[in-house]
Amino acid sequence: MERTAPAAPPDGSPPDDRLPDVAVLLDGMPRQRSAAEQAASEPREASTAVPTRRFDVRLARRLFPTPTGTPFTFGYGAVLVAVALVSARLSPALVHTLHQGSSTDVAHLVRTPVLVLVASALWIAGGILSPYAVALLFVLTALERRIGGTRTAAVFLLGHIGATLATEVPVGVAVLVGHLPASSLHRLDYGVSFGVAASLGALAGLLRPWLRWPLLALFGWELATDLITFTDPLTDWGHPIALLTGIATWPLVRQWHRERHPLRAG
């Protein structure tokens, strides 16, 4: 479309300044941007895309343990991986002997309670690719980032020790009164699952409701399924006990979270 200017008056006087300039009116119509304008806008668009990608990378990294961000989870996970790799090179008979020596059964708890409670937490039943091993990685990482390494270790040990004693002490009492044979004092019991269950229960108290309740419902359903099948009664009862132990720490872990992240709390 061509631009036109108003015709001059017949008497030769200058155009009336009150009349709008048609060229100005036509400037409001859409037009193609020049190459210079396009080039000037491209750096701004590129600069806004980079921080978004970096944010996504940082968010993804927070799911995994790091030596500085989550030292307890990182160090404990490294020990578990090292134990698993070394035991994979040993003979099955020797590994079974080590499992028996690390078992938190009644006989060992009476003689060397501290030793077996620590040693039993160095083994992962099912290997490093088992569901509880994967859960340990993500659950402990998330919990440690919220309440710190020392307090995460305390929650883990509370579940590990509490659920172990809650399941083994009744066995010892039952043997004493004659309801169970003496062989029940030497059952095989080791692994990290009690500590993981307690840590998951504690972590749920720090999550938003839309994530907290589905997570507890899903894990609770898995534990209920194990109780129905009842293949390993003491372990199957120990997991719900450990989960409830973690849930019981909600007031404490929420206080720890407020102390560690005062701006995020509430």
Side-chain angles (χ1 to χ4, degrees), residues 90-237:
L90 302 177
S91 65
L94 179 57
V95 173
H96 181 70
T97 301
L98 293 175
H99 285 168
Q100 286 182 324
S102 305
S103 176
T104 51
D105 53 35
V106 177
H108 284 111
L109 287 174
V110 171
R111 293 196 303 267
T112 56
V114 177
L115 177 61
V116 293
L117 284 171
V118 173
S120 64
L122 300 180
W123 302 95
I124 302 179
I128 58 176
L129 297 180
S130 66
Y132 276 103
V134 177
L136 181 145
L137 177 69
F138 292 106
V139 170
L140 291 190
T141 298
L143 186 60
E144 185 172 359
R145 290 192 184 279
R146 287 165 172 79
I147 66 174
T150 303
R151 291 164 175 175
T152 299
V155 172
F156 182 90
L157 289 175
L158 179 63
H160 177 66
I161 297 174
T164 298
L165 295 179
T167 52
E168 294 295 342
V169 169
V171 172
V173 174
V175 172
L176 286 176
V177 298
H179 290 306
L180 287 176
S183 60
S184 300
L185 302 175
H186 302 278
R187 61 182 298 270
L188 196 61
D189 187 13
Y190 64 91
V192 301
S193 59
F194 290 168
V196 173
S199 300
L200 187 146
L203 175 63
L206 302 177
L207 302 177
R208 297 191 179 276
W210 64 267
L211 181 59
R212 175 192 309 150
W213 301 117
L215 179 64
L216 289 176
L218 179 62
F219 189 60
W221 173 255
E222 292 294 330
L223 300 185
T225 303
D226 292 339
L227 283 174
I228 293 174
T229 57
F230 220 54
T231 56
D232 189 354
L234 292 185
T235 301
D236 294 340
W237 276 112

Side-chain angles (χ1 to χ4, degrees), residues 33 35-51 53:
R33 292 190 303 169
E37 291 173 336
Q38 292 180 357
S41 64
E42 289 178 357
R44 289 194 297 270
E45 295 175 357
S47 62
T48 58
V50 173
R53 289 194 296 267

